[in-house]
Amino acid sequence: MRVIVVKDPQTMGKRAADLIQEVMESKPHFVLGLATGSTPMPLYKELIRRHKDEKLDFSTVITFNLDEYVGLKPTHDQSYRYFMNKHLFDHININKKCTHVPCGIGDDLEAECLMYEEMIEDVGGVDYQVLGIGSNGHIGFNEPGTSLASRTHVTQLTESTIKDNSRMFAKVQDVPTQAVTMGIGTVLDAERVVLVANGANKTKAIKAALEGPITAMCPASALQLHPGVTYVITEDCAKGLTIAVER
Ligand code: GLP
């Protein structure tokens, strides 16, 4: 496990972009797994800057997002499809048809989940998966207690995640209580993973994920099983870690 500790979120975005760009430029049909939330935003800003200033080319890139709220249309300003368009896809030369976000509306979400898994498999799997982390250790929307072998599924959000994410909504009652998420097993199938984190509210989850037991009670701890994971985290998040880190 590589752990890179950086001084601020901007540097976190740059270091994560470096990791992704290196693999992206070596593969003709690069498959990028994407995350939402405020943490990956400096990374997306940096990818946009590299596209604009350095001609970083996304024309053949395929993307799969981790998750989506159940019940929000793609046009809803809190849907993860809307977020991705606004913060990344609208600013780079990606073919929108090659960008995938799980579908959170419809009568048969189970079938949608199966289809999502098949689409990922059909393109040969994810080359680089971007992850954030919830303050309770969740990745995607895999809440504590989710099977480490889970695949894309519909999940119930915990009180703590609803509370954390309510800052984006007018009131807590507006936060959907369910989501569609890639499973932990789906995430572990990616060739490489970069997890970004900043802020003192993530310190406990980062310590548990990196140094605690591998347990479904901290979904991110499953990444200890994966040989290709890099954490890029800020100083405040790295407080109290005893494992070796790079700076
Ligand atoms: C949501 C997303 C996660 C994300 C988490 C943390 O729950 N489903 O993928 O990692 O929020 O968000 P933030 O980066 O805003 O703290």
Side-chain angles (χ1 to χ4, degrees):
M1 189 87 64
R2 247 185 112 186
V3 181
I4 303 175
V5 178
V6 295
K7 62 177 190 325
D8 54 33
Q10 285 64 40
T11 320
M12 179 193 75
K14 286 193 179 123
R15 295 293 290 271
D18 289 345
L19 296 170
I20 292 167
Q21 182 171 356
E22 195 189 337
V23 182
M24 184 170 147
E25 291 184 327
S26 72
K27 290 214 158 195
H29 290 283
F30 180 67
V31 183
L32 179 58
L34 293 168
T36 52
S38 46
T39 315
M41 278 165 67
L43 163 63
Y44 298 155
K45 268 199 187 131
E46 179 61 15
L47 291 176
I48 293 166
R49 192 199 63 73
R50 290 181 193 196
H51 167 66
K52 296 210 157 117
D53 298 348
E54 296 160 17
K55 306 271 174 287
L56 181 61
D57 181 19
F58 290 86
S59 60
T60 59
V61 172
I62 301 164
T63 68
F64 286 91
N65 261 79
L66 281 169
D67 47 13
E68 180 60 283
Y69 287 115
V70 167
L72 298 193
K73 289 194 180 134
T75 49
H76 189 289
D77 66 1
Q78 288 309 324
S79 78
Y80 285 169
R81 160 55 75 181
Y82 187 95
F83 175 100
M84 289 313 305
N85 288 346
K86 183 172 168 196
H87 295 291
L88 184 63
F89 302 150
D90 284 346
H91 311 283
I92 55 175
N93 65 332
I94 199 160
N95 178 354
K96 281 250 180 85
K97 287 194 182 125
C98 295
T99 68
H100 307 89
V101 179
C103 173
I105 41 173
D107 297 334
D108 196 350
L109 292 182
E110 302 299 335
E112 296 284 349
C113 292
L114 278 176
M115 239 167 61
Y116 205 66
E117 288 280 333
E118 276 168 23
M119 284 194 295
I120 297 172
E121 210 184 305
D122 285 351
V123 297
V126 171
D127 292 310
Y128 227 124
Q129 177 67 52
V130 176
L131 291 180
I133 186 168
S135 60
N136 64 1
H138 77 238
I139 49 175
F141 267 131
N142 292 285
E143 297 282 30
T146 307
S147 160
L148 302 186
S150 52
R151 311 303 304 186
T152 303
H153 63 286
V154 179
T155 184
Q156 201 68 34
L157 303 183
T158 60
E159 293 270 324
S160 80
T161 296
I162 291 173
K163 194 169 153 262
D164 281 355
N165 292 5
S166 67
R167 69 188 195 279
M168 310 289 187
F169 292 80
K171 49 184 192 308
V172 72
Q173 290 80 2
D174 293 346
V175 185
T177 56
Q178 288 188 314
V180 175
T181 182
M182 279 187 199
I184 299 172
T186 321
V187 171
L188 292 177
D189 279 351
E191 191 74 24
R192 298 174 187 78
V193 176
V194 57
L195 186 148
V196 286
N198 69 266
N201 62 326
K202 303 289 173 71
T203 316
K204 231 174 106 187
I206 290 291
K207 175 125 178 118
L210 283 169
E211 296 179 357
I214 298 171
T215 164
M217 296 323 289
C218 176
S221 67
L223 299 171
Q224 292 177 34
L225 297 166
H226 193 296
V229 177
T230 306
Y231 278 65
V232 185
I233 60 178
T234 53
E235 294 281 358
D236 47 0
C237 262
K239 273 201 188 113
L241 289 182
T242 54
I243 56 164
V245 301
E246 299 168 38
R247 285 180 199 266

